[in-house]
Amino acid sequence: MFKLSIVVPCYNEEEVLHETTKELTRIVTNLIKSDKIAPNSKIVFVDDGSKDQTWNLIDEFSKENEIVSGVKLSRNFGHQGALLAGVTAASKDSDAVVTIDADLQDDVNAIPKMVDSFIAGSEVVYGVRNNRDTDSAFKRNTAEMFYKFMGWLGVKLVPDSADFRLMSKRACEVLLSYKETNLFLRGIVPLVGFKSDKVYYARKERFAGESKYPLRKMIKFALDGITSFSIVPIKMIMGLGFFIVLISIFLLIYTVVQKINGHVVSGWSSMMISIWALGGVQLICISVIGEYVGKIFSEVKHRPRFTIERDIYTEKTLKEEEE
């Protein structure tokens, strides 16, 4: 038997925490009874600077339920930072770590299948959606475009896979050796290597509360993924520059020919269009380059990716070792 820890990042999840704890406790208890995981396996809730009663509930559940523990971050570090904090804490003494969101959209019943795959020898097991029926047409189409675009950029992602996965202790250690501040775990985890597998499941509607990933955050997340793993956009800017130069040369030749033929046309409209078009292209190019410079600025400072205020998981682990 091996010790399993289930890491659950939480940000203002008081509405779903009771049900999430109940469902995950059921899964862990059944796995323990079937002798697939060790009795000291844990559920690790990571409070990512919540402003509601999320941490108080985690603290309360940890006192009532020996399976439940928690990690409280000093402030909001974002979903990816909270995930990494949980993996960092849990992987110290766990043989495998499952990460899953608190909203119960990912099917907890897929966890036993992940465990079976891990026992069979897989070190990374991805939870993959078998459909996108719960998504709007806009989200479904943009997600498909994103995965295709990332593939075109040469970034290896697992399509329709988010942050629901199982990783062995060795895979977690390799993941934690990647020190970048701009985290995009969906792109980093495939770089870890090792034998991998996929478990398919049907994604559900959110149990309660509001999504923590509105359109604005989704766009930012996608941009982080693109600019953290590929310099193709910068190369595209160079191509765009050459293309504009070619158009300029063509227009220059056209203007000279028109002048020779005596067809002089007022150029106010074309001039204004050119100025606005080139100005827009320049701003876009500067913005793309600025995005990369900004990431370099963040990385070179080497600031901590998260700060832990309290670690109930470690407290419980030390207490169990003493007993």
Side-chain angles (χ1 to χ4, degrees):
M1 291 188 294
F2 65 94
K3 181 177 180 180
L4 174 72
S5 290
I6 301 177
V7 173
V8 189
C10 305
Y11 179 67
N12 295 341
E13 298 288 6
E14 63 178 4
E15 296 180 62
V16 301
L17 215 53
H18 284 88
E19 187 66 20
T20 302
T21 303
K22 174 185 171 183
E23 287 296 298
L24 290 176
T25 299
R26 173 179 64 82
I27 294 296
V28 172
T29 301
N30 289 340
L31 287 170
I32 292 173
K33 287 180 180 178
S34 60
D35 292 329
K36 289 185 177 181
I37 63 175
N40 62 341
S41 295
K42 291 285 186 290
I43 302 167
V44 188
F45 290 107
V46 182
D47 177 33
D48 186 25
S50 298
K51 298 177 182 179
D52 59 4
Q53 295 300 308
T54 295
W55 176 250
N56 292 333
L57 289 173
I58 293 171
D59 192 18
E60 178 185 332
F61 295 155
S62 68
K63 294 174 183 176
E64 299 173 352
N65 187 340
E66 62 179 10
I67 293 175
V68 176
S69 62
V71 173
K72 178 176 173 60
L73 302 187
S74 61
R75 62 173 176 82
N76 179 253
F77 286 87
H79 180 265
Q80 301 291 279
L83 269 178
L84 204 66
V87 171
T88 301
S91 62
K92 293 176 182 177
D93 66 335
S94 300
D95 300 295
V97 175
V98 169
T99 57
I100 185 173
D101 289 342
D103 54 19
L104 293 178
Q105 285 190 279
D106 296 323
D107 188 2
V108 297
N109 295 304
I111 295 176
K113 298 176 184 177
M114 293 180 172
V115 169
D116 289 338
S117 181
F118 174 73
I119 294 172
S122 299
E123 297 205 46
V124 181
V125 185
Y126 300 97
V128 180
R129 300 170 61 170
N130 57 16
N131 64 71
R132 284 188 168 269
D133 294 343
T134 57
D135 290 347
S136 63
F138 173 77
K139 188 173 181 179
R140 188 162 53 247
N141 292 328
T142 52
E144 184 178 349
M145 289 171 57
F146 173 70
Y147 283 114
K148 287 182 178 179
F149 184 64
M150 292 296 281
W152 179 73
L153 293 178
V155 183
K156 294 183 179 179
L157 297 180
V158 179
D160 297 321
S161 171
D163 291 302
F164 182 29
R165 65 178 75 88
L166 178 148
M167 299 182 70
S168 68
K169 181 180 181 68
R170 182 166 66 157
C172 288
E173 289 173 348
V174 175
L175 172 65
L176 296 176
S177 70
Y178 288 78
K179 299 301 183 181
E180 51 253 67
T181 302
N182 300 286
L183 293 169
F184 185 67
L185 296 179
R186 299 182 195 184
I188 298 175
V189 172
L191 297 178
V192 168
F194 303 125
K195 182 180 179 181
S196 64
D197 192 14
K198 298 176 183 176
V199 168
Y200 293 89
Y201 68 97
R203 190 168 169 85
K204 305 175 183 178
E205 294 285 352
R206 184 180 174 86
F207 179 77
E210 297 180 355
S211 172
K212 303 306 183 293
Y213 264 93
L215 180 60
R216 176 179 59 83
K217 284 191 175 182
M218 285 173 59
I219 293 173
K220 182 180 181 301
F221 188 66
L223 288 175
D224 281 342
I226 293 168
T227 54
S228 294
F229 280 85
S230 177
I231 61 170
V232 170
I234 290 182
K235 292 181 179 179
M236 290 173 64
I237 288 175
M238 182 184 295
L240 179 62
F242 281 119
F243 178 69
I244 291 175
V245 169
L246 289 174
I247 292 177
S248 301
I249 293 172
F250 172 77
L251 289 175
L252 177 62
I253 295 172
Y254 174 77
T255 303
V256 171
V257 171
Q258 291 291 90
K259 180 72 172 178
I260 293 172
N261 293 332
H263 301 299
V264 180
V265 182
S266 175
W268 186 88
S269 298
S270 59
M271 183 182 295
M272 292 303 296
I273 292 172
S274 299
I275 290 172
W276 280 97
L278 287 174
V281 169
Q282 288 172 343
L283 287 175
I284 292 171
C285 295
I286 292 171
S287 298
V288 172
I289 294 171
E291 184 72 20
Y292 282 94
V293 173
K295 287 188 179 296
I296 295 170
F297 178 69
S298 299
E299 294 290 345
V300 298
K301 288 184 289 187
H302 299 296
R303 289 180 177 174
R305 294 177 290 185
F306 54 85
T307 304
I308 295 177
E309 181 176 326
R310 188 182 173 194
D311 187 351
I312 297 176
Y313 177 83
T314 301
E315 292 172 8
K316 279 196 168 186
T317 301
L318 292 174
K319 185 177 180 181
E320 289 173 356
E321 290 176 353
E322 291 174 357
E323 294 175 351

